[in-house]
Structure formats: structure tokens, C-alpha cells
Amino acid sequence: MSAAPPAMRHEVHFGDRLVRCFADRPASVDALLQRSIARHGRRDAVVDGAVRLSFARLDAQIAAVAGGLRAQGLRKGDRLALMIGNRWQFVTALLAALRVGIIAVPLNVRASAPELAQILDDCGAAGILFDQALRDRLPPSGAAPALREPVERVPGEVCFDDLLAAAPAPPARLDEEDVAIILYTSGTTGRPKGAMLTQLN
């Protein structure tokens, strides 16, 4: 016999928008992750070639990277661009940003410097974390005015291992309607456009 579907109800969110929601749900992406960590701490959460991260180890790495981002000056509501390939570091960086309320902006690793400059400027990115192999793809200094010191140095002078060595950061207080991620279109038919996903999504 299949389990009954979760109960749902209509709620008003985002001003006056009626949204169909799960009646029992975690308040944030990180809260959802914490449920899985509590239930499956020793099980594999991420498998990337020879790298295997249990839920417990992933949780520790997320806390450390979140602390590293905070140490670089990023705060709740700041935008952090992620130009990282399909690797475990991307998963960890994304979830670390969400844990402390930093808005993650994943970037296409094939994007050109002009495309990246437009996206970084449009979203107001305060920092960018990228694969060192993609350094030459980055737009010139000044193309994204919101990038700040010392946050601008995160990708070039602070490697991922340095972020992992930081003191862990506790989760931020988050609201369901807080923006969590900004996803950009490919821009094949015009300039890339951003779509905001909230914790509620």
C-alpha cells in the first residue's frame, strides 16, 4: 500500500499571492538538509568520483565554508556568484551560502567574459567563487561594481581548502520568502535574465 500524499493547503505569500503549500514543511533549504543529516548521518550524501561525503561530513564542510564566506565579509542577502563545475565543491559552496542567507548565483562555466560581466552586474554580486581553471574567463576588474574588497579576493587568493579551514558558522535566521538562489537564462535569444527562487520554492 502506498503512503498517503503529504497534506497541502493554500497560504498567502509574497504580498497577496495565494500559494499551494505543504502543510508540514521545513522553513528553509538548510532546515530540509538538517532533517536528512539527522536521519542519515553516516550515509553517502555526495559521490564525486573517488570523493564520498557522508551527510555528517557534508554538514561539517558546509559549516566551515559558510564560516569562510562570512570571514571574507559576505553577509545575509549578499549575492555570491558560483562558477564551479559539476563537482562536490559546487554542492558544498551552494549549501554553505544558503545556510547563512547568502544568495547563490550559479554561473554557466561556458559563459563568456561579457556574459559573466552582465550577470555579475545585474545581480549585484558581492563575491565570486570559481574554479581556478576558469580564471581567464572572468570579466576585467570593474565590470561588476558591486564586487567588494576583500570579498573580491576570495576566488583568486583564497582557495577552497582555506574556506574549509575556517571556523564553522551557525545557520542564519531565514524566512520562507527570503531569496535563496538566482538562476539566469542562457541568453541565447537575448540578454540573460534572472529568476529568483525563495526558500519556499
Side-chain angles (χ1 to χ4, degrees):
M1 175 182 276
S2 60
M8 301 193 75
R9 65 188 178 206
H10 285 91
E11 300 177 7
V12 176
H13 288 279
F14 313 109
D16 59 356
R17 184 176 166 199
L18 194 62
V19 182
R20 193 162 184 256
C21 305
F22 289 109
D24 178 26
R25 62 183 184 274
S28 67
V29 175
D30 187 63
L32 179 62
L33 175 64
Q34 293 297 336
R35 283 188 180 182
S36 296
I37 292 167
R39 293 173 183 168
H40 313 297
R42 295 185 179 181
R43 294 186 187 176
D44 285 339
V46 176
V47 177
D48 177 14
V51 177
R52 304 180 80 92
L53 301 178
S54 68
F55 278 96
R57 186 176 173 204
L58 176 64
D59 181 42
Q61 293 197 344
I62 289 169
V65 171
L69 295 174
R70 282 248 184 99
Q72 292 299 314
L74 286 163
R75 294 294 178 262
K76 181 181 177 182
D78 284 341
R79 276 78 165 157
L80 174 66
L82 301 175
M83 193 172 177
I84 305 173
N86 188 19
R87 301 186 289 119
W88 68 267
Q89 289 93 338
F90 175 83
V91 176
T92 303
L94 176 70
L95 294 174
L98 297 183
R99 175 163 294 185
V100 290
I102 295 169
I103 300 170
V105 186
L107 301 175
N108 188 338
V109 296
R110 299 186 190 85
S112 65
E115 290 172 327
L116 293 173
Q118 189 265 318
I119 291 172
L120 292 171
D121 183 50
D122 184 68
C123 74
I128 177 170
L129 196 59
F130 63 89
D131 284 337
Q132 291 297 318
L134 301 173
R135 170 181 284 279
D136 293 342
R137 195 85 55 81
L138 295 180
S141 178
L147 285 172
R148 312 188 295 260
E149 294 288 353
V151 179
E152 193 171 12
R153 296 200 301 266
V154 170
E157 299 179 17
V158 179
C159 71
F160 203 82
D161 288 343
D162 291 331
L163 292 176
L164 286 171
R173 286 193 168 198
L174 301 171
D175 184 89
E176 287 186 319
E177 296 183 17
D178 287 342
V179 176
I181 301 173
I182 301 177
L183 294 176
Y184 276 83
T185 61
S186 63
T188 52
T189 58
R191 291 164 67 95
K193 298 176 180 65
M196 296 183 293
L197 304 178
T198 68
Q199 298 288 340
L200 184 61
N201 292 124

